[in-house]
Amino acid sequence: MSGQVLPCSPQEIGTLFLFEKLTPEQLGRLCCDGQVEQFEAGPVYTEGDPATCFYVMIEGTVVLSRRVGGDDVEVARTSQRGVYTGAMQAYIGDRVQQVYLNSMRVTEPTRFFVLPAETFAAIMSEWFPMAVHLLEGLFFGQKSSQLAISQRERLLALGSLSAGLTHELNNPAAAAVRATSTLRERVAKMRHKLRVISSGPYSREALANLIDIQERTAERVAKAPSLSPLEASDREDALTDWLDDHGIMQAWQIAPTFVQAGLDIDWLDQVAAAVDEDVLQAAVGWLSYTVETELLMTEIEDSTTRISNLVGAAKQYSQLDRAPYQVADVHELLDSTLLMLGAKTGDRIKVVKDYDRTLPKIPAYPAELNQVWTNLIDNAVSAINSAGGEGTLTVRTAPVRDQLMVEFRDTGPGVPQEIRSRIFDPFFTTKPVGEGTGLGLDISWRIVVNKHHGTLQVESVPGDTRFQVLLPLTAADNETPEESA
């Protein structure tokens, strides 16, 4: 919007700190090329509009705000003469998008010295060529450094995730290999035991009873209850005594296997009643091999399922086969990230999930949200490690008005009040040299605020730090997400 044009006095604008070192001729040119405008209370320009003017306040009160999610957040309010805003990067030209980076309004009649952006750029290049080169170098140098370090941080994060995933995959894969090798040995012994039984003086009916018991034993293994260590120990002692009383050799080896399979004395009594006494030793041995093979196959199934789940989590985390913008379940994204970072959290950090499963899916860029979760979880783990390495990480979801909140709460030492306002700044880090680039929270801020129109905020006291991500439940008017599969 335009204000009321007033006479421009070189002497008056020369009293502003920005222009106090200029010559009378330079001040005269400013008044010739620019003008003084008075604005009544209300908006002056809006964030995102083309930056056409450079404003220097002569008198009045200005309020600057940024658009965060669906709200305008006030970032500055001042009545100081000479403060400036608007097209402050006009001297860079078309190499960057020339738009207003904030919105400005005035709360009372306010006078500005207003200079067109093109004139401001031309005067800067003519009067201060060295300063323009320095400013350009600073601006593009910082952007280049930020890009390079951001890429480096992504590679470091990828390396950490790859190492963690490899570690997580190695355990079930090794377990499956061991179980398969042992299973082959047990099956060979079972074939040998079957040959011994079949060649013995056993009736057809006795063999039929034995096979029936084998089938029911296998079913029993699949439904084995979970026992406490004390319960398992008591049952092993009882089974060992039963086996010894019935003359079964190597009872101390057989009893733990039977207990793991959920077999008890009542079951063994049924076996003893179903076969002749001279068959009991062979029957128990054969059933022992049956139980071991079933347990080994269960172990292999669990291990391969674990591998499949890890691969699925990696696929969910990377979102390689998904549309970049889609309707997504935040809980699935959180679970995949926590699984990918399982090696980093380790056993000393307790992870608590406090999810509100009634929350709807939301429009989002899932792969980038996963990066936000990774950064916030990594910071929480680092904070807990700095306080001794033991603590709790709580991940909570909840509705907050018309937004979905994801909260990461850690029991670390907290974020000091004096640096809390700077933690989202690029390159600011509290980690030791070489351990942090200072871009994790900056990247997270830009993903949440700029790309998802949400909010990222922090609340912290010693022992209770909470990073809260607030995301809108609906897409912006100009965005259409794809439905997730």
Side-chain angles (χ1 to χ4, degrees), residues 82-326:
V83 295
Y84 52 91
T85 185
M88 293 188 296
Q89 296 177 348
Y91 61 88
I92 298 177
D94 295 336
R95 285 173 290 177
V96 299
Q97 187 180 17
Q98 295 293 337
V99 296
Y100 290 119
L101 302 179
N102 51 42
S103 297
M104 181 172 73
R105 61 184 176 88
V106 297
T107 59
E108 60 179 330
T110 301
R111 285 194 302 138
F112 291 95
F113 173 70
V114 183
L115 197 61
E118 296 83 356
T119 304
F120 173 55
I123 287 177
M124 284 288 292
S125 298
E126 179 181 341
W127 291 354
F128 314 107
M130 183 176 177
V132 168
H133 287 306
L134 289 172
L135 289 171
E136 288 179 343
L138 178 64
F139 178 82
F140 289 110
Q142 185 180 37
K143 289 194 68 173
S144 177
S145 297
Q146 185 170 346
L147 178 61
I149 295 178
S150 175
Q151 291 174 338
R152 176 64 174 170
E153 184 166 85
R154 289 171 185 263
L155 287 174
L156 289 173
L158 179 60
S160 177
L161 287 172
S162 298
L165 181 60
T166 302
H167 174 77
E168 293 292 330
L169 285 170
N170 181 66
N171 290 335
V177 170
R178 288 194 304 269
T180 302
S181 177
T182 307
L183 178 62
R184 179 177 290 110
E185 178 185 339
R186 293 298 182 271
V187 170
K189 289 184 177 180
M190 182 183 288
R191 289 197 300 266
H192 174 71
K193 182 66 70 175
L194 179 60
R195 183 165 58 249
V196 171
I197 292 174
S198 62
S199 62
Y202 307 120
S203 66
R204 183 184 298 271
E205 182 180 358
L207 290 176
N209 286 340
L210 195 55
I211 292 173
D212 180 61
I213 292 172
Q214 183 189 39
E215 293 294 331
R216 288 187 284 130
T217 301
E219 294 175 2
R220 185 99 172 209
V221 174
K223 301 175 183 178
S226 297
L227 301 176
S228 68
L230 183 59
E231 290 173 331
S233 179
D234 290 342
R235 186 172 290 188
E236 284 180 19
D237 291 340
L239 289 184
T240 300
D241 291 341
W242 189 98
L243 293 170
D244 285 337
D245 292 342
H246 288 75
I248 306 300
M249 294 183 295
Q250 296 181 320
W252 59 276
Q253 288 183 327
I254 297 174
T257 303
F258 280 2
V259 170
Q260 187 179 358
L263 305 185
D264 53 22
I265 290 178
D266 290 341
W267 179 257
L268 291 178
D269 285 338
Q270 294 179 38
V271 174
V275 299
D276 296 333
E277 184 176 351
D278 58 343
V279 182
L280 185 59
Q281 173 69 53
V284 170
W286 196 34
L287 293 178
S288 176
Y289 291 140
T290 300
V291 168
E292 287 185 342
T293 57
E294 289 295 324
L295 291 174
L296 288 168
M297 286 189 288
T298 299
E299 183 178 351
I300 293 171
E301 181 182 20
D302 290 343
S303 298
T304 53
T305 299
R306 171 72 173 162
I307 293 172
S308 177
N309 289 340
L310 284 166
V311 172
K315 188 177 179 182
Q316 171 73 272
Y317 180 85
S318 64
Q319 295 286 314
L320 289 177
D321 62 341
R322 309 293 178 88
Y325 189 58
Q326 60 175 285

Side-chain angles (χ1 to χ4, degrees), residues 6-13 27-28 30-32 34-36 113:
L6 301 175
C8 179
S9 166
Q11 291 75 22
E12 181 180 39
I13 65 171
L27 293 172
L30 288 178
C31 272
C32 179
Q35 60 190 20
V36 173
F113 173 70

Side-chain angles (χ1 to χ4, degrees), residues 300-372:
I300 293 171
E301 181 182 20
D302 290 343
S303 298
T304 53
T305 299
R306 171 72 173 162
I307 293 172
S308 177
N309 289 340
L310 284 166
V311 172
K315 188 177 179 182
Q316 171 73 272
Y317 180 85
S318 64
Q319 295 286 314
L320 289 177
D321 62 341
R322 309 293 178 88
Y325 189 58
Q326 60 175 285
V327 176
D329 186 339
V330 167
H331 302 110
E332 291 181 359
L333 304 181
L334 290 169
D335 285 341
S336 67
T337 304
L338 286 169
L339 188 56
M340 293 291 289
L341 296 176
K344 180 164 289 190
T345 55
D347 297 329
R348 300 183 67 191
I349 298 178
K350 180 181 179 182
V351 178
V352 177
K353 299 178 185 179
D354 182 10
Y355 294 166
D356 182 349
R357 294 286 186 177
T358 65
L359 290 169
K361 293 183 178 181
I362 62 170
Y365 295 88
E368 300 196 28
L369 282 184
N370 281 339
Q371 187 177 1
V372 174

